[in-house]
Amino acid sequence: MEVVERIEEMTEISKRARLRVGTWGGGGKSVILIPTMGALHEGHAALIEKARSLAGASRQVIVLSVFVNPKQFGVNEDLADYPRTLEADKRIAKAAGVDIFFNPKAEDVYPEGFATKVDIDDSLSKRLCGRTRHGHFTGVATIVTKLFNIIRPDKAVFGLKDYQQLLIIRRINEDLNLEVDIVGVETLRDPDGLAISSRNTYLSDKERRAALVIPKVLDMAVQMFKESGGGGTLKAEAMKEKLLKTIEKEPLVVVEYIELSAPLTLAPVESVVSGTLLAIAVRVGKTRLIDNRILTC
Ligand code: PAF
């Protein structure tokens, strides 16, 4: 695995891999990008595994980027505290089969005078997490567009836990003709059902136990939907009320939102039908956790 910090070097390696010349050349390789903010865990390993499965190992270059993007953190968010575990990240990435570990410096990504934002229409960016995380998706859209332009990947792999992020990235990709094949990967969970996240490391034992109410209500929703027969008779408000009541029994968990939405527009739905997105964000102590489920029978 090669560690690359310089943006120009990353662009050059990627270009050469595609053009069949130089060290990373030799066969018109496809370049697959996994953008991350580091603090790698089994969830990221699953993204890497997915990337490896996308083409024969000898015909692809897997680039994993690690960059804690300041522009996607609000003023009161956890930028300073975000776990930074660079050496462990390198070991995990290498063991999982990453070819290039791209770790650019913030001053190179956003040099003095940097003045561009990739802005997403409110209809996608101000719903769900965007209601409270002002500017978050602009920050995500800006860095992902930059990474796509630096690396020009053929494919890019993202986790479905950040469903709204994935939807927005698909939108940018289409709207700006970036022509990257965007691949979504199912959320990886601990055996007790909690979605694996870098932010889980903030949780105390007590908080972690309390957080299990999240997978619990997601399972409850699936059950309710199945019992309704899936024909649209189940009202979103009724489902939300029941799920909220369950969460409220857990004093350490404060709901930020729990929404039933159309999966492609994120518009709220009145009736729950097959394919409806159930998305949830809560605070457990100081830690913000999100999760989601697409409801099907
Ligand atoms: O999901 C993440 O880790 C980040 O939002 C991403 C996509 C790497 C952009 O900084």
Side-chain angles (χ1 to χ4, degrees):
M1 184 179 83
E2 198 166 316
V3 177
V4 176
E5 287 188 356
R6 285 185 45 247
I7 289 179
E8 299 73 19
E9 192 187 346
M10 184 63 252
T11 302
E12 193 55 31
I13 287 174
S14 196
K15 201 185 282 174
R16 282 168 184 268
R18 286 191 310 271
L19 290 180
R20 313 174 187 211
V21 288
T23 320
W24 292 103
K29 293 183 175 173
S30 61
V31 176
I32 305 184
L33 170 66
I34 306 154
T36 80
M37 297 207 298
L40 300 186
H41 48 59
E42 299 98 306
H44 295 109
L47 301 185
I48 301 167
E49 202 180 309
K50 178 70 185 179
R52 292 182 57 189
S53 75
L54 291 174
S58 60
R59 298 192 59 78
Q60 66 187 20
V61 175
I62 298 181
V63 181
L64 180 117
S65 63
V66 171
F67 180 65
V68 183
N69 174 34
K71 292 199 185 291
Q72 67 187 77
F73 288 80
V75 272
N76 296 320
E77 292 186 347
D78 56 343
L79 174 62
D81 296 334
Y82 198 81
R84 287 162 173 87
T85 54
L86 198 59
E87 291 315 309
D89 290 351
K90 286 179 190 165
R91 284 195 298 276
I92 293 171
K94 188 173 176 188
V98 166
D99 298 303
I100 313 281
F101 186 95
F102 180 45
N103 179 219
K105 294 196 184 337
E107 59 267 33
D108 294 336
V109 175
Y110 300 122
E112 222 182 294
F114 186 89
T116 304
K117 282 180 185 169
V118 178
D119 201 13
I120 310 296
D121 193 75
D122 288 0
S123 59
L124 282 184
S125 69
K126 292 269 177 356
R127 290 191 156 128
L128 305 182
C129 291
R131 283 214 303 253
T132 50
R133 300 197 73 188
H134 306 295
H136 170 69
F137 289 113
T138 303
V140 170
T142 304
I143 188 63
V144 170
T145 306
K146 269 197 80 120
L147 289 168
F148 282 5
N149 282 326
I150 291 167
I151 298 161
R152 304 278 159 107
D154 298 281
K155 299 173 199 246
V157 182
F158 296 87
L160 273 158
K161 184 169 79 63
D162 296 295
Y163 184 96
Q164 185 174 15
Q165 166 172 285
L166 180 58
L167 196 68
I168 284 173
I169 290 165
R170 287 192 195 281
R171 192 72 261 162
I172 314 165
N173 187 50
E174 199 175 319
D175 292 352
L176 301 181
N177 302 87
L178 299 179
E179 294 195 3
V180 178
D181 181 5
I182 308 288
V183 180
V185 176
E186 279 303 328
T187 305
L188 203 73
R189 296 176 183 281
D190 277 329
D192 56 14
L194 189 67
I196 296 180
S197 159
S198 304
R199 289 187 168 99
N200 290 357
T201 56
Y202 300 151
L203 298 168
S204 68
D205 288 350
K206 221 170 148 188
E207 288 171 341
R208 202 189 174 291
R209 278 195 299 277
L212 292 180
V213 75
I214 308 168
K216 182 177 171 181
V217 293
L218 294 180
D219 287 345
M220 263 177 74
V222 171
Q223 198 52 38
M224 277 178 85
F225 182 61
K226 282 187 176 153
E227 280 164 13
S228 77
T233 50
L234 183 60
K235 295 291 165 215
E237 278 311 313
M239 179 183 264
K240 270 165 61 174
E241 208 181 299
K242 188 148 184 211
L243 304 182
L244 273 168
K245 273 197 182 133
T246 304
I247 302 177
E248 274 160 17
K249 287 187 196 138
E250 196 46 82
L252 291 182
V253 179
V254 177
V255 176
E256 189 179 287
Y257 69 75
I258 177 156
E259 289 296 346
L260 288 147
S261 314
L264 296 181
T265 62
L266 303 183
V269 296
E270 268 184 31
S271 304
V272 186
V273 293
S274 189
T276 297
L277 167 73
L278 168 63
I280 177 165
V282 301
R283 284 193 184 272
V284 189
K286 286 194 175 139
T287 309
R288 186 176 182 278
L289 299 174
I290 57 170
D291 206 343
N292 67 76
R293 195 66 73 78
I294 294 285
L295 299 174
T296 50
C297 271

Coordinates of all heavy atoms in Angstrom, one line a residue, residues 35-37 69 72 140 143-144 158 162 165, ligand 1:
P35 N -14.2 7.1 0.0 CA -13.9 8.3 0.8 C -14.3 8.1 2.3 O -15.3 7.6 2.6 CB -14.9 9.4 0.2 CG -15.5 8.8 -1.0 CD -15.4 7.3 -0.8
T36 N -13.4 8.5 3.2 CA -13.6 8.3 4.6 C -13.1 9.5 5.4 O -12.3 10.3 4.8 CB -13.0 7.0 5.2 OG1 -11.6 7.3 5.5 CG2 -13.1 5.8 4.3
M37 N -13.4 9.6 6.6 CA -12.8 10.6 7.5 C -11.9 9.8 8.5 O -11.6 10.4 9.6 CB -13.9 11.4 8.3 CG -14.7 12.2 7.3 SD -15.4 13.7 8.0 CE -16.5 13.0 9.3
N69 N -13.0 16.4 7.1 CA -13.3 17.5 6.4 C -13.9 18.6 7.2 O -15.1 18.5 7.6 CB -14.3 17.1 5.3 CG -14.9 18.3 4.5 OD1 -14.2 19.2 4.3 ND2 -16.1 18.2 4.1
Q72 N -17.6 20.2 6.8 CA -18.9 19.5 7.0 C -19.3 19.5 8.5 O -20.3 18.8 8.9 CB -18.9 18.1 6.4 CG -18.0 17.1 7.0 CD -18.0 15.8 6.2 OE1 -17.4 15.7 5.2 NE2 -18.7 14.8 6.7
V140 N -20.1 18.3 2.7 CA -19.9 17.0 2.1 C -19.8 17.0 0.6 O -18.9 16.5 0.0 CB -21.1 16.0 2.6 CG1 -21.0 14.7 1.8 CG2 -21.0 15.8 4.1
I143 N -16.5 18.5 -0.6 CA -15.3 17.6 -0.5 C -15.4 16.4 -1.5 O -14.4 16.0 -2.1 CB -15.0 17.2 0.9 CG1 -13.6 16.4 1.0 CG2 -16.0 16.2 1.5 CD1 -12.5 17.3 0.7
V144 N -16.6 15.9 -1.6 CA -16.7 14.7 -2.5 C -16.5 15.1 -3.9 O -15.8 14.4 -4.7 CB -18.1 14.0 -2.3 CG1 -18.4 12.9 -3.3 CG2 -18.2 13.4 -0.9
F158 N -19.8 4.0 -0.9 CA -20.3 4.7 0.3 C -21.2 3.8 1.1 O -21.9 3.0 0.6 CB -21.1 6.0 0.0 CG -20.3 7.0 -0.8 CD1 -20.2 7.0 -2.2 CD2 -19.7 8.1 -0.1 CE1 -19.4 7.9 -2.8 CE2 -19.0 9.0 -0.7 CZ -18.8 9.0 -2.1
D162 N -25.4 6.4 6.1 CA -25.6 7.9 5.8 C -26.4 8.0 4.5 O -26.0 8.4 3.5 CB -24.2 8.5 5.6 CG -23.4 8.5 6.8 OD1 -23.8 9.1 7.8 OD2 -22.4 7.8 6.9
Q165 N -26.8 11.4 2.8 CA -25.5 11.7 2.2 C -25.4 11.0 0.8 O -25.0 11.6 -0.2 CB -24.3 11.3 3.1 CG -23.0 11.3 2.4 CD -21.8 11.1 3.4 OE1 -21.5 12.0 4.1 NE2 -21.3 9.9 3.4
Ligands
PAF1 O1 -19.2 9.7 5.3 C1 -18.1 10.3 5.5 O2 -17.2 9.7 6.2 C2 -17.9 11.7 5.0 O3 -19.0 12.4 5.1 C3 -17.2 11.7 3.6 C4 -18.2 11.1 2.6 C5 -15.9 11.0 3.6 C6 -17.0 13.1 3.2 O4 -16.1 13.8 4.0

